[in-house]
Amino acid sequence: MEIDVKSLHPLEIKVLLHVKESEQITAKRIISELGYKLGQCNQAFSWLAAKELISESDRINRRQYELTELGKAFNKIGFPAERMFNLLKEYGSLSLPKIAEMLGLDKSDVGSAFGKLSKQGIFGMNAEKMAEIREKILPPDILAARELVMRAVQGPLEEEQLTEDEKKVLQGISKKRGAAGAPFRLAEREEIIYALTPAGTGISKILKEKNITGEELGAVTQDMLADGSWKDKSFRSYSLNSPPSRVLLGRRNPYGEYLQWVKDKLASLGFEEFDGPLVENEFWNGDALFMPQFHSARDIHDVYYVKNPSHAKEIDQPYLDQVAATHENGWDTGSRGWGYEFDRDFTRRQVMRSQGTVLSAKQLPKAKIPGKYFGIARCFRYDQVDATHGADFYQTEGIVLGEDVNLRTLLGLLKMFAEEVAGAEEVKYVPGYFPFTEPSIEVHIKHPVLGWFELGGSGIFRPEVTKALGVDVPVLAWGLGIDRMALMHLGLNDLRELFTPDIESVRMRRGK
Amino acid sequence: MPKIEVLTKTFYQNIGRTYTDEQLEEILPSAKAELDGKDEEAGILKIELNDTNRPDLWSSAGLVRQLRTYTGKKPLFYDFFSNADEEFEYGNRIIEVDPNLKDIRPYITAFAVTGKKIDDTVLKDIIQTQEKLCWNFGRKRRSIAMGVYRNDLISYPVKYTAADPDTTKFIPLLMDQELSLREINEQHPKGKEFGHIVSGFPLFPFLTDSEGQVLSFPPVINSAHIGAVQVDDSELFIELTGTVHKDLILAASIVACDFADAGFTILPVKVVYPYETEFGKEVVTPYYFQEPASAELAYINKLLGMELSPDEAVNALKRMGVFAIYDNGTIFATVPEYRNDFLHPVDIIEDVMIGHGMEKFAPVMLDSFTFGRLTGEEEFSRKVKDVMIGLGFQEMMYNYLGSRKDYITKMNVDGSEYIQIANPMTENYEFVRASIIPSMMQSESVSGNAVYPHAIFEVGKVAFLDDDDNSGSVTRNTLGFLSADSDVGFNQISSTVSAVMFYLNKEYTLKELDDPKFIPGRCAVIVSEGRQVGVFGEVHPAVLENWGIQMPSVVCEIDLDLLMKDG
């Protein structure tokens, strides 16, 4: 394994520098010789072992006396006998029940401690049946126990390092299996003994060569800056390649970002944005676009009907009369119309907007000439939801009005979109069909990644559409299928993903 | 869009030459068609037709007809069309119509074909034509239904009657016993599919011959005898019934032309009505009713951005199968028998465009100067998004349709402001969202595994009922945001709201709110410039439980359209 010495932690470095080849490396040794805490020792060993700089050479069982919770408490407040001794020292003499009450101990514990120390001649009972002290100091075994407890607070006591006397004391105050509370517990632990590997020896050499001691400074602290303690010291080099931790940040949804890019693009090309409500009526959604009310052309726009209220109160005049007449007999548009009786009830029926062209139609009565408009509109279709169909989705649509616009400027417009919005190199135009445009053109482009595909549909609005809405100049109408490019941009292949509620997948998503 | 299948071999035979797929793809646009796929083994091409106003193209014969003229072959002439001035010989082939049909299914057109044996290819083509015409053009048989019969078994005159649905019985195709018309509607697969078209009437359409032999129960099913056409039949009777006379006659013309192209002789049939129709009481079909169409050459050139000569325009139309002449600045076109899509001069212009060849139109850049501009709402939204991102929130985007369960039930609200869809496909998309909050709750409910803290927002639209509006509802641009973590609470979201309002330059005050989706006393209404622009608070654990969310959440929603308005 290739090891970068910069990736080593000071705890590791010091161990590597400290031990020599073939020496035993144990926790005990490192704790005593390098002043590590046990936890630091364990960390250093496990890191070094993972890097194969040290390896296990042996395992031994260690017997240790460690403090129980009771033992830790004794360390803080003293042994019962010790506390009784100190209490009597202060008060002279007290009854046993009084002692128990003052120290918050069980009467039986007080009784047994008194009995034990009375035998050793430390305590005695006076004529008033009150306990009192007979010696100036506590007996050696209690003093020894007290000292052992204080030592054990620093860490467990290794059996092999104890004197015979100490062992004897400890055996008396250690918890036996099933026995009542005692300050110590005897634990058996397996300890691993490590040794440097050849790689470890190698790294150790490199460390020495580079004069890395493990004493280099880590993080710059406020204190360091305040007291100047950083001066004359070197800073530890950090590993450049350790994996950075994750940052959660605020950011755009990449699909929204893409739509915004398209909007900015269109605005930069001189288009003014329009928008409108989600709920429409049949008038704007179909009738105004010269789609006959009962013709199969409406089958391709299977729409969602609104239940409440099912009909709009009224349709704007004079457009209702003009559109109705256009459907019936062509009105003043030069058309013969569809030749059926226009249903003025049906036209008020409310639907969820099914095509972005609705907004284009609604813009016509208020449009400037010359004028260029666009909108990215959420639309709704009665469709089985799958990877290529959503219940609601965005459509990008717009119009260009002008005395001089014609088929060839339409092709120019499409070429501009192909190049500016899709980054296409090649463009192909084929006749298309839309109920509201004539002629109609589909634009196919050769996308650098996706190959040939249909970028959008377009055409010149039928005069039945424009004249009935008060516009006398030709109007180019266009729509761009940008979702396919958006999916590619986002590395997705399922339309449903664009509106996923899954937070993690949106966090991880990014544009190309 | 209709899709058809054609036998590759016959198709190319009829066009008069073979094309590679690439070559075919180059000429198909002249019919607004595209190659949708092919089945090499079965020798079939699958073709999609995009023009819903050109039902004549939805058959092998019709497509061949278009491609032949487009590639320079002579158009075929049809000499069996009667018109207002001239009737072709119909012999004894007469249909008598019952006056009771006037309000049920008033029109019928028919003709017979002879002169050739029906082979498998023709039979398949007939069935395909019938399907496409009646489904797409005939609105699923409502306005047009077609039946084909063995002509040699029929004794004329044929009677188109209105029959009692319960006492009238016959053996329909695919069955071996007599059923009443009503029983057919209830039991026969075609009855279940199409019976609803007539089931509301007291009497049903019924077609018999002069001897009472049953032809069919239009628009549902043929009889098992006269109505069972087979390979090797040599004379067929074809009828179409429906509600729109012109469409019906056009559909019959299309089918007749297809048979004529396949080499059959067309035998006209006379229909005698007891009531007036647009084309009189007696109509001999196939019948040519189309009016001539015209367009000024100057208009053609203006709209196409070209300077086509009269000859170029006339020739372009010829390639589209449209005979035209030029006279004194105007192109006059004779509409082909099988078409009725010339409503306006622009329809001629499109045919000129296609016939002239798309490749001859060079793109021209627009030169008019216009101001590009975003809506005020869009600009405000962007400001809001910038603030939210600065506050550490991830932008989300959601669907606008959802279920009652998600939008209303789980939120513990009554949902009285929600717009409901009358014809939902599934209950999953039955309501329009009136609030962003359920969308964000849904996010939280599916994102328990995403690293916390969660901080998400959306700027999107909601729509809700509003009696004052003409449509009874309004759409609003709205900001929603949610934070979820072990230590979120009212104070935290109140700080966020405060930051948002500060950087949007809006003063606000808070008012107490009583809303079951929030914990009482830990939610508020945001009031700015006298308007209630939003709400926020700690989501009630009962709502979190409904969503299966195990993390404390706070949420806020602000109506941006209200907020951006100046006091």
Side-chain angles (χ1 to χ4, degrees), chain B residues 48-59:
Chain B
E48 182 170 358
L49 288 315
N50 290 322
D51 191 338
T52 50
N53 277 346
R54 288 289 303 273
D56 61 295
L57 296 172
W58 306 345
S59 66

PDB file of all heavy atoms in Angstrom, chain B residues 48-59:
ATOM      1  N   GLU B  48     -47.151   6.498 -39.841  1.00  0.00           N
ATOM      2  CA  GLU B  48     -47.994   7.377 -39.034  1.00  0.00           C
ATOM      3  C   GLU B  48     -48.411   8.564 -39.869  1.00  0.00           C
ATOM      4  O   GLU B  48     -47.594   9.173 -40.563  1.00  0.00           O
ATOM      5  CB  GLU B  48     -47.219   7.838 -37.798  1.00  0.00           C
ATOM      6  CG  GLU B  48     -48.054   8.717 -36.890  1.00  0.00           C
ATOM      7  CD  GLU B  48     -47.399   8.998 -35.547  1.00  0.00           C
ATOM      8  OE1 GLU B  48     -46.296   8.484 -35.299  1.00  0.00           O
ATOM      9  OE2 GLU B  48     -48.005   9.737 -34.751  1.00  0.00           O
ATOM     10  N   LEU B  49     -49.713   8.903 -39.794  1.00  0.00           N
ATOM     11  CA  LEU B  49     -50.247  10.029 -40.558  1.00  0.00           C
ATOM     12  C   LEU B  49     -50.594  11.144 -39.595  1.00  0.00           C
ATOM     13  O   LEU B  49     -51.305  10.930 -38.617  1.00  0.00           O
ATOM     14  CB  LEU B  49     -51.518   9.618 -41.317  1.00  0.00           C
ATOM     15  CG  LEU B  49     -51.413   8.696 -42.535  1.00  0.00           C
ATOM     16  CD1 LEU B  49     -50.276   9.136 -43.442  1.00  0.00           C
ATOM     17  CD2 LEU B  49     -51.255   7.243 -42.142  1.00  0.00           C
ATOM     18  N   ASN B  50     -50.083  12.335 -39.885  1.00  0.00           N
ATOM     19  CA  ASN B  50     -50.211  13.410 -38.906  1.00  0.00           C
ATOM     20  C   ASN B  50     -51.337  14.403 -39.164  1.00  0.00           C
ATOM     21  O   ASN B  50     -51.660  15.203 -38.306  1.00  0.00           O
ATOM     22  CB  ASN B  50     -48.891  14.174 -38.811  1.00  0.00           C
ATOM     23  CG  ASN B  50     -47.813  13.335 -38.158  1.00  0.00           C
ATOM     24  OD1 ASN B  50     -48.091  12.598 -37.214  1.00  0.00           O
ATOM     25  ND2 ASN B  50     -46.607  13.411 -38.669  1.00  0.00           N
ATOM     26  N   ASP B  51     -51.896  14.375 -40.370  1.00  0.00           N
ATOM     27  CA  ASP B  51     -52.904  15.391 -40.688  1.00  0.00           C
ATOM     28  C   ASP B  51     -54.300  14.842 -40.410  1.00  0.00           C
ATOM     29  O   ASP B  51     -54.800  13.996 -41.148  1.00  0.00           O
ATOM     30  CB  ASP B  51     -52.765  15.799 -42.163  1.00  0.00           C
ATOM     31  CG  ASP B  51     -53.590  17.035 -42.479  1.00  0.00           C
ATOM     32  OD1 ASP B  51     -54.554  17.315 -41.728  1.00  0.00           O
ATOM     33  OD2 ASP B  51     -53.275  17.713 -43.464  1.00  0.00           O
ATOM     34  N   THR B  52     -54.913  15.350 -39.345  1.00  0.00           N
ATOM     35  CA  THR B  52     -56.237  14.812 -38.998  1.00  0.00           C
ATOM     36  C   THR B  52     -57.318  15.328 -39.941  1.00  0.00           C
ATOM     37  O   THR B  52     -58.447  14.871 -39.873  1.00  0.00           O
ATOM     38  CB  THR B  52     -56.627  15.173 -37.546  1.00  0.00           C
ATOM     39  OG1 THR B  52     -56.422  16.558 -37.365  1.00  0.00           O
ATOM     40  CG2 THR B  52     -55.808  14.415 -36.554  1.00  0.00           C
ATOM     41  N   ASN B  53     -56.974  16.288 -40.810  1.00  0.00           N
ATOM     42  CA  ASN B  53     -57.956  16.745 -41.794  1.00  0.00           C
ATOM     43  C   ASN B  53     -57.819  16.047 -43.138  1.00  0.00           C
ATOM     44  O   ASN B  53     -58.448  16.445 -44.099  1.00  0.00           O
ATOM     45  CB  ASN B  53     -57.823  18.262 -42.010  1.00  0.00           C
ATOM     46  CG  ASN B  53     -58.579  19.033 -40.945  1.00  0.00           C
ATOM     47  OD1 ASN B  53     -59.396  18.460 -40.222  1.00  0.00           O
ATOM     48  ND2 ASN B  53     -58.293  20.318 -40.845  1.00  0.00           N
ATOM     49  N   ARG B  54     -56.978  15.038 -43.210  1.00  0.00           N
ATOM     50  CA  ARG B  54     -56.784  14.315 -44.468  1.00  0.00           C
ATOM     51  C   ARG B  54     -57.066  12.830 -44.278  1.00  0.00           C
ATOM     52  O   ARG B  54     -56.171  11.984 -44.450  1.00  0.00           O
ATOM     53  CB  ARG B  54     -55.357  14.509 -44.974  1.00  0.00           C
ATOM     54  CG  ARG B  54     -55.026  15.893 -45.522  1.00  0.00           C
ATOM     55  CD  ARG B  54     -55.685  16.198 -46.857  1.00  0.00           C
ATOM     56  NE  ARG B  54     -55.357  15.229 -47.903  1.00  0.00           N
ATOM     57  CZ  ARG B  54     -54.273  15.304 -48.694  1.00  0.00           C
ATOM     58  NH1 ARG B  54     -53.428  16.282 -48.562  1.00  0.00           N
ATOM     59  NH2 ARG B  54     -54.064  14.392 -49.619  1.00  0.00           N
ATOM     60  N   PRO B  55     -58.320  12.461 -43.978  1.00  0.00           N
ATOM     61  CA  PRO B  55     -58.632  11.039 -43.788  1.00  0.00           C
ATOM     62  C   PRO B  55     -58.369  10.213 -45.040  1.00  0.00           C
ATOM     63  O   PRO B  55     -58.235   8.994 -44.957  1.00  0.00           O
ATOM     64  CB  PRO B  55     -60.116  11.039 -43.405  1.00  0.00           C
ATOM     65  CG  PRO B  55     -60.651  12.362 -43.841  1.00  0.00           C
ATOM     66  CD  PRO B  55     -59.499  13.319 -43.763  1.00  0.00           C
ATOM     67  N   ASP B  56     -58.291  10.880 -46.206  1.00  0.00           N
ATOM     68  CA  ASP B  56     -58.021  10.117 -47.437  1.00  0.00           C
ATOM     69  C   ASP B  56     -56.641   9.476 -47.428  1.00  0.00           C
ATOM     70  O   ASP B  56     -56.378   8.553 -48.191  1.00  0.00           O
ATOM     71  CB  ASP B  56     -58.141  11.042 -48.664  1.00  0.00           C
ATOM     72  CG  ASP B  56     -57.139  12.191 -48.612  1.00  0.00           C
ATOM     73  OD1 ASP B  56     -57.245  13.037 -47.704  1.00  0.00           O
ATOM     74  OD2 ASP B  56     -56.246  12.232 -49.479  1.00  0.00           O
ATOM     75  N   LEU B  57     -55.766   9.961 -46.537  1.00  0.00           N
ATOM     76  CA  LEU B  57     -54.405   9.414 -46.516  1.00  0.00           C
ATOM     77  C   LEU B  57     -54.264   8.210 -45.585  1.00  0.00           C
ATOM     78  O   LEU B  57     -53.202   7.606 -45.512  1.00  0.00           O
ATOM     79  CB  LEU B  57     -53.412  10.508 -46.075  1.00  0.00           C
ATOM     80  CG  LEU B  57     -53.277  11.712 -47.001  1.00  0.00           C
ATOM     81  CD1 LEU B  57     -52.423  12.786 -46.356  1.00  0.00           C
ATOM     82  CD2 LEU B  57     -52.675  11.279 -48.341  1.00  0.00           C
ATOM     83  N   TRP B  58     -55.324   7.883 -44.888  1.00  0.00           N
ATOM     84  CA  TRP B  58     -55.204   6.856 -43.851  1.00  0.00           C
ATOM     85  C   TRP B  58     -55.403   5.444 -44.379  1.00  0.00           C
ATOM     86  O   TRP B  58     -55.943   4.576 -43.688  1.00  0.00           O
ATOM     87  CB  TRP B  58     -56.194   7.110 -42.706  1.00  0.00           C
ATOM     88  CG  TRP B  58     -56.077   8.480 -42.116  1.00  0.00           C
ATOM     89  CD1 TRP B  58     -55.061   9.377 -42.278  1.00  0.00           C
ATOM     90  CD2 TRP B  58     -57.034   9.120 -41.281  1.00  0.00           C
ATOM     91  NE1 TRP B  58     -55.318  10.532 -41.606  1.00  0.00           N
ATOM     92  CE2 TRP B  58     -56.527  10.408 -40.970  1.00  0.00           C
ATOM     93  CE3 TRP B  58     -58.265   8.740 -40.750  1.00  0.00           C
ATOM     94  CZ2 TRP B  58     -57.222  11.298 -40.163  1.00  0.00           C
ATOM     95  CZ3 TRP B  58     -58.943   9.623 -39.951  1.00  0.00           C
ATOM     96  CH2 TRP B  58     -58.434  10.901 -39.656  1.00  0.00           C
ATOM     97  N   SER B  59     -55.075   5.222 -45.612  1.00  0.00           N
ATOM     98  CA  SER B  59     -55.163   3.868 -46.151  1.00  0.00           C
ATOM     99  C   SER B  59     -54.008   3.684 -47.110  1.00  0.00           C
ATOM    100  O   SER B  59     -53.415   4.658 -47.584  1.00  0.00           O
ATOM    101  CB  SER B  59     -56.490   3.679 -46.890  1.00  0.00           C
ATOM    102  OG  SER B  59     -56.519   4.508 -48.039  1.00  0.00           O
TER     103      SER B  59
END
